[in-house]
Amino acid sequence: MITKHSHACVYVTDQDRARAFYTDKLGMEVRDDVRMGTFRWLSVAPKTQPDACIVLMLVGAGPMLSEEQAGQLRALLEAGVLGAGVLETDDCRRDYDELKAKGVQFAREPKEMPYGIEALMRDDSGNFYSLTQRR
Amino acid sequence: MPSSRATLRRLIRARDVLHASVQRGATLDELARASGLSRGFLARSFSRTFGVPPHQYLVQLRLEHAKRALARGLSVTEACLEVGFESLGSFSASFHRRVGVSPRSWQRQARGLVQSLGVPALYIPACFLARYVGHV
């Protein structure tokens, strides 16, 4: 029985910038930040969620991704067509105001939906997230 | 009932005190003072938010630190003392109960990984590592 989803992978175009975005702007904390040669294992998570993290993987060629594929992935990111998931909040409108004031880009402002209040935001690489206050 | 934003901030403060006092181990009284919450409310809310009560959270934290110390090459006794366990017996028992193997067995496995792959962190899932080193 699978009991939990613990690691989600989000491709980013610059890990230093992504680390700053997810911590300084979104208020998450760094869980791992270690390097092995050119590979950097960088993960972040909301401070109140100890058992799950977002792995911020750099888009780059390697054993599993050719230069061409990495280029295609980078192009998709830059086009802003990759969705990264849902970030839950206890107050979507307040977070929207606070994050917008910090320069976070939103594709849609908070909107009443049957399942809660939801806004659509982008990270610094172009990944978009639902910022959702469930009900 | 989910905690309010203000309560979550206080709980995070208490958790941060635990992170800052791994070796010494902050008491529930200290955590209550640091967070401005009553002991009972803190204990209940902490469990609800972080999955375990403060003391268990501290034990988990100590074991994670102990793993890092063991992977660095410290002896079991040195790792035990570094992370604040009162005795080698309680350290080994806690470690075995939660990790499933003794500290020394775990150290042998971890050092093998570090030496063969140069993996500096304790847990990099193979699905991620494979993107860097190929098959692992």
Side-chain angles (χ1 to χ4, degrees):
Chain A
M1 176 174 58
I2 293 171
T3 58
K4 196 177 286 184
H5 180 206
S6 65
H7 292 69
C9 175
V10 171
Y11 278 107
V12 298
T13 51
D14 182 316
Q15 285 177 305
D16 285 334
R17 204 182 59 210
R19 179 184 159 125
F21 178 87
Y22 280 81
T23 55
D24 300 343
K25 296 201 171 171
L26 299 190
M28 295 189 188
E29 64 186 5
V30 172
R31 290 284 162 81
D32 295 284
D33 190 356
V34 292
R35 295 165 195 263
M36 298 163 52
T38 56
F39 176 70
R40 182 176 177 188
W41 173 241
L42 173 63
S43 67
V44 296
K47 292 177 182 175
T48 51
Q49 192 169 19
D51 58 358
C53 67
I54 299 171
V55 180
L56 301 173
M57 288 288 285
L58 183 66
V59 178
M64 295 178 75
L65 210 57
S66 67
E67 285 287 357
E68 186 187 359
Q69 289 167 328
Q72 289 166 342
L73 191 49
R74 201 174 292 113
L76 288 170
L77 267 175
E78 287 165 358
V81 297
L82 295 183
V86 179
L87 299 174
E88 289 201 14
T89 169
D90 61 340
D91 191 330
C92 184
R93 295 186 197 285
R94 179 157 59 174
D95 279 349
Y96 170 80
D97 290 338
E98 287 178 6
L99 294 174
K100 205 163 166 53
K102 289 181 181 174
V104 175
Q105 300 291 313
F106 279 82
R108 196 182 79 194
E109 50 187 54
K111 187 176 173 185
E112 291 283 345
M113 304 298 285
Y115 45 80
I117 304 170
E118 181 184 42
L120 284 178
M121 52 162 273
R122 294 192 191 284
D123 74 4
D124 60 296
S125 292
N127 294 295
F128 67 88
Y129 286 94
S130 279
L131 178 68
T132 303
Q133 179 183 347
R134 298 287 297 273
R135 64 173 161 229
Chain B
M1 181 76 180
S3 299
S4 71
R5 180 172 292 215
T7 301
L8 284 176
R9 290 208 168 114
R10 289 170 185 270
L11 291 170
I12 290 168
R13 205 176 305 149
R15 187 211 61 163
D16 288 346
V17 170
L18 282 178
H19 278 260
S21 67
V22 171
Q23 208 272 343
R24 181 178 62 81
T27 64
L28 189 58
D29 281 332
E30 286 176 65
L31 300 180
R33 269 198 305 279
S35 62
L37 299 170
S38 73
R39 284 166 46 103
F41 183 76
L42 170 63
R44 285 192 303 278
S45 304
F46 194 100
S47 295
R48 204 164 49 226
T49 302
F50 299 112
V52 289
H55 180 69
Q56 274 186 48
Y57 189 93
L58 176 65
V59 172
Q60 288 177 4
L61 208 51
R62 283 177 165 167
L63 292 176
E64 287 308 309
H65 280 249
K67 285 180 183 174
R68 288 172 206 271
L70 291 168
R72 286 204 314 271
L74 264 61
S75 71
V76 174
T77 306
E78 287 168 335
C80 164
L81 294 174
E82 181 170 296
V83 302
F85 278 91
E86 288 178 1
S87 74
L88 200 52
S90 66
F91 170 57
S92 294
S94 282
F95 196 99
H96 197 282
R97 194 163 49 244
R98 287 169 193 269
V99 183
V101 294
S102 71
R104 195 168 306 286
S105 298
W106 188 90
Q107 186 177 42
R108 274 196 294 272
Q109 293 169 12
R111 287 181 71 76
L113 188 67
V114 171
Q115 281 158 9
S116 63
L117 294 175
V119 180
L122 298 173
Y123 181 40
I124 301 179
C127 60
F128 291 100
L129 201 53
R131 299 176 204 195
Y132 172 69
V133 296
H135 293 293
V136 290

